[in-house]
Amino acid sequence: MLKVYRGELLHFLADPAKVALQDSYQYIEDGLLIIKDGLVEQVGEAKTLLNTLDTSVEVVHYENGLMMPGFIDTHVHYPQTEMIASYGEQLLEWLENYTFPFERQFSDLEHGKKVAEFFLTQLLEAGTTTALVFGTVHKESVEAFFTIAQQKKLRMICGKVLMDQNCPDYLSDTAQSGYDDSKALIEKWHNTDRLQYAITPRFAPTCSTEQLNKAGQLLAEHPSVYLHTHLSENKAEIAWVEELFPDSDGYLDVYDKSNLLSRRSVFAHGVHLHDSECQRLSETDSAIAFCPSSNLFLGSGLFNLKQAEKFDVNVGLGSDIGAGTTFSMLSTINEGYKTQQLRGDKLSPFKSLFLATLGGAIALDLEGTIGNFVKGAEADFIVLDYNATPLMDRRMQHCKTLSEKLFILSMLGDERHVKATHIMGERV
């Protein structure tokens, strides 16, 4: 069955930092997106493609908007939805005072389903169609999340947190129980419909070496699953890792010793990385989730995007709810721009929107499946509204170039500017 959408259209073909800018994207002022059975069939100029369609095919025309692939969030905690904007702490105190007490509730499957429903609705309203998601230590938290995501036909990745030390007793598992629960969840959910599993050690301080080794064993046994954890977010955290793992050569090496670096390994933050760590991430094709909203909110630091580019490290954007303060990737881009300004670096709107779409797909090893409009890709896409607010409407009247329009969209835009979200070609 064909679904056809007409309007202004933009998608990325490559990283603007790696190729000539004009070769990194395709922009069509009056484009046609043809979808067959939920997958992209063809994209091109409307005046050319309209003549190839049967007259019975309905064409949905989005005027005054921009069609783009759905946003991809490469790091977010669904159980922290209801504790967003908790005041006044940096990372370690924030976990202890706010996060851990909230996560306790997710032993209850029904509670998890209610939060997952709200969380996924918020993502979709903000134009995010795929996310790499933390559950809690409870197996039920992942069952709840996948149940709701499956009902909504979403491409989502999630995992049960592994945590067997330096945490409250009520959130602790063991190396063996974490392995057993994760294995059962992988066997039930990984590659079921559009769902995929991520082995999820919370971060090195809350995992014994035995538990990290068990995570490495799981990854070896199930090479198509993901590894999702935190890395070098906060200076006090890094110092703690050095105390806990004195035999390791830095934070990343703790994970590396347990064989946790791979093409499907995503490390959130990476704010304070040595060049040698970036080199190792690049060698193993591992990725970083850049989470500017969270990094600013917790005072963690300013991610060095230029360093990651220098070493050819895959990078996606993450909202990191609930230390991050917005579900919107447009708002997250806004924060990302400011972090790079503070570093004395420029972040172009092309690079920003690449990171939020194809960059995220590459970071998740899903290029060709999501992230752009290549033939055969899953047709998750959004329509961004240039005129959603009086301020943006007025500002857009002074635009002369595509770059200007995209920059204004990424500085003034938020969930209000998402006119429509489509999953496998169907509007939701």
Side-chain angles (χ1 to χ4, degrees), residues 102-309:
F102 257 88
E103 291 192 359
R104 183 176 200 163
Q105 304 166 76
F106 285 80
S107 61
D108 179 355
L109 181 70
E110 292 309 311
H111 174 77
K113 285 181 181 177
K114 286 174 187 169
V115 176
E117 176 68 44
F118 179 79
F119 168 86
L120 288 168
T121 299
Q122 292 289 299
L123 281 185
L124 291 169
E125 287 179 355
T128 297
T129 52
T130 290
L132 176 57
V133 183
F134 257 65
T136 68
V137 75
H138 312 100
K139 193 177 173 186
E140 294 85 354
S141 70
V142 180
E143 292 279 1
F145 180 81
F146 277 147
T147 298
I148 304 301
Q150 185 181 39
Q151 289 169 7
K152 295 180 184 295
K153 300 180 180 175
L154 302 177
R155 179 162 290 287
M156 287 284 157
I157 310 164
C158 185
K160 184 203 103 70
V161 169
L162 304 172
M163 191 158 60
D164 69 345
Q165 66 177 25
N166 297 318
C167 64
D169 290 345
Y170 59 79
L171 285 184
S172 183
D173 60 7
T174 67
Q176 189 60 48
S177 72
Y179 171 89
D180 292 340
D181 285 349
S182 299
K183 193 172 183 66
L185 287 164
I186 290 166
E187 288 169 356
K188 179 175 180 180
W189 290 107
H190 184 59
N191 288 333
T192 296
D193 295 332
R194 303 178 74 205
L195 307 173
Q196 293 170 291
Y197 193 82
I199 299 159
T200 311
R202 179 168 223 116
F203 65 152
T206 56
C207 296
S208 66
T209 299
E210 183 188 0
Q211 186 166 64
L212 292 172
N213 287 343
K214 278 288 190 186
Q217 183 184 336
L218 271 174
L219 201 57
E221 291 168 353
H222 305 277
S224 68
V225 305
Y226 291 83
L227 184 286
H228 184 200
T229 190
H230 298 87
L231 172 69
S232 298
E233 178 177 359
N234 167 287
K235 288 183 177 176
E237 167 212 16
I238 294 166
W240 191 20
V241 171
E242 288 175 0
E243 286 175 28
L244 291 169
F245 299 91
D247 296 336
S248 289
D249 183 21
Y251 199 154
L252 184 67
D253 191 50
V254 175
Y255 298 132
D256 207 357
K257 279 184 159 64
S258 294
N259 299 313
L260 298 181
L261 277 64
S262 75
R263 180 65 187 91
R264 289 198 159 187
S265 296
V266 180
F267 297 94
H269 307 296
V271 176
H272 308 283
L273 292 174
H274 301 294
D275 282 359
S276 59
E277 292 177 307
C278 287
Q279 182 64 46
R280 186 66 186 137
L281 289 167
S282 179
E283 287 168 0
T284 55
D285 243 354
S286 301
I288 295 172
F290 169 27
C291 307
S293 171
S294 161
N295 297 155
L296 291 170
F297 181 74
L298 291 178
S300 300
L302 308 171
F303 176 65
N304 190 342
L305 181 59
K306 288 286 182 282
Q307 181 191 36
E309 287 178 345

Side-chain angles (χ1 to χ4, degrees), residues 6 13 31-32 59 71 87 124 131 156 160 172-173 191 200 240 252 311 373 392 417:
R6 180 177 183 176
L13 307 171
L32 216 63
V59 178
F71 293 135
Y87 172 75
L124 291 169
M156 287 284 157
K160 184 203 103 70
S172 183
D173 60 7
N191 288 333
T200 311
W240 191 20
L252 184 67
F311 287 94
F373 294 139
M392 189 183 285
H417 298 85

Side-chain angles (χ1 to χ4, degrees), residues 57-127:
V57 175
E58 181 192 359
V59 178
V60 177
H61 194 175
Y62 283 117
E63 300 183 71
N64 302 317
L66 178 66
M67 294 193 292
M68 282 191 69
F71 293 135
I72 297 168
D73 189 337
T74 58
H75 178 65
V76 59
H77 299 251
Y78 101 86
Q80 294 177 16
T81 302
E82 295 176 332
M83 53 153 292
I84 194 171
S86 294
Y87 172 75
E89 306 290 3
Q90 293 208 345
L91 175 64
L92 300 180
E93 298 77 15
W94 181 84
L95 286 170
E96 189 175 333
N97 295 337
Y98 299 121
T99 307
F100 291 155
F102 257 88
E103 291 192 359
R104 183 176 200 163
Q105 304 166 76
F106 285 80
S107 61
D108 179 355
L109 181 70
E110 292 309 311
H111 174 77
K113 285 181 181 177
K114 286 174 187 169
V115 176
E117 176 68 44
F118 179 79
F119 168 86
L120 288 168
T121 299
Q122 292 289 299
L123 281 185
L124 291 169
E125 287 179 355

Side-chain angles (χ1 to χ4, degrees), residues 125-126 328 330 383-385 387-391 412-419:
E125 287 179 355
S328 169
L330 291 175
V383 183
L384 300 176
D385 186 351
N387 311 112
T389 58
L391 176 61
L412 302 181
D414 54 34
E415 56 272 23
R416 293 171 297 174
H417 298 85
V418 179
K419 181 186 285 192

